[in-house]
Amino acid sequence: MRYDRQIILPEIGEEGQKKLQEAKVLIVGVGGLGSPIALYLTGAGVGCLGLVDDDLVSITNLQRQVLYSEKELGKPKALCAAGRLSALNSGIRIYPYSTRLTKDNAYDIIQKYDIVVDGCDNFATRYLINDICIKQEKPYVYGAICGFEGQVSVFNYGNQKKNYRDLYPDEEEMQRMPPPPKGVMGVTPAIVGSVEATEVLKIICDFGDVLAGKLWTIDLRTLQSNKFSL
């Protein structure tokens, strides 16, 4: 009964729901992007979720990070997110990692999962995820936001095998760039994170056109949306 409304979709069906139940997805960062990603994958019945985040809940998070409440201020995001998601769907397994993804732990953590989803906010972590996903031959669902704008792509998937370095080839130059402005509308990560979650579901259930080798962008001020080939 829980999944009836998606099982009746021909793209999902009972076979697709079984694939969702068997899937293992790692979300790196459970903030603005990670909140909708985690909520919708949990609601859809993805059987195993890993949550990586070393941050604590702060009052400035609550404008957009809808996983959390005022009662959780000062507490570890990964643990709070795990509790919230378990309350939403007790039938899935959730593994919180209250740590930053680093060169020392990333290989072992990523190895446990089928797909990695980007909810982080820095170039170094994205290059790290990208390179390990290439080594382990795992899809990397990428997303990024700034202000009213966002973008999504899927790397290391299908015949394309495009990766993050095809989008941003000069790692040293990217690392030298100043941090992007922190201003963001709460709906921006909601929309971009939901698109990332959609790509994960498409990969697991094998339907639709996955954004492999393509970059989708949106500007919420105009609702102009584009899709580019990498």
Side-chain angles (χ1 to χ4, degrees), residues 42-206:
T42 296
V46 171
C48 176
L49 288 179
L51 311 173
V52 179
D53 202 306
D54 68 339
D55 202 4
L56 306 178
V57 179
S58 72
I59 191 68
T60 60
N61 299 150
L62 303 185
Q63 165 253 7
R64 65 201 177 281
Q65 299 183 19
V66 294
L67 270 174
Y68 311 108
S69 70
E70 293 179 357
K71 294 181 179 179
E72 294 165 324
L73 295 176
K75 297 180 180 179
K77 284 184 183 178
L79 298 180
C80 293
R84 170 73 175 86
L85 299 172
S86 293
L88 173 62
N89 191 344
S90 60
I92 70 173
R93 293 166 289 143
I94 301 172
Y95 298 99
Y97 302 87
S98 293
T99 183
R100 193 173 190 84
L101 199 71
T102 68
K103 292 181 179 179
D104 294 327
N105 62 23
Y107 194 93
D108 290 339
I109 293 175
I110 290 174
Q111 193 169 341
K112 298 179 175 71
Y113 298 88
D114 306 318
I115 302 169
V116 181
V117 195
D118 184 353
C120 66
D121 60 0
N122 67 87
F123 297 120
T125 303
R126 289 181 177 128
Y127 281 108
L128 178 61
I129 294 171
N130 178 77
D131 294 349
I132 292 178
C133 283
I134 291 172
K135 289 179 181 178
Q136 298 187 4
E137 299 184 341
K138 295 182 179 181
Y140 167 25
V141 179
Y142 156 78
I145 56 170
C146 183
F148 296 89
E149 301 176 24
Q151 54 184 226
V152 177
S153 186
V154 176
F155 300 128
N156 199 42
Y157 178 77
N159 296 326
Q160 293 289 339
K161 296 300 182 184
K162 294 290 185 177
N163 66 76
Y164 187 67
R165 293 183 182 276
D166 291 303
L167 180 61
Y168 298 114
D170 193 333
E171 181 176 357
E172 291 186 5
E173 180 182 355
M174 297 301 292
Q175 298 282 24
R176 287 195 299 267
M177 289 180 61
K182 290 187 176 182
V184 62
M185 282 295 293
V187 295
T188 306
I191 292 169
V192 175
S194 295
V195 173
E196 288 187 79
T198 303
E199 292 303 300
V200 174
L201 299 177
K202 286 158 65 176
I203 292 170
I204 295 171
C205 297
D206 192 21

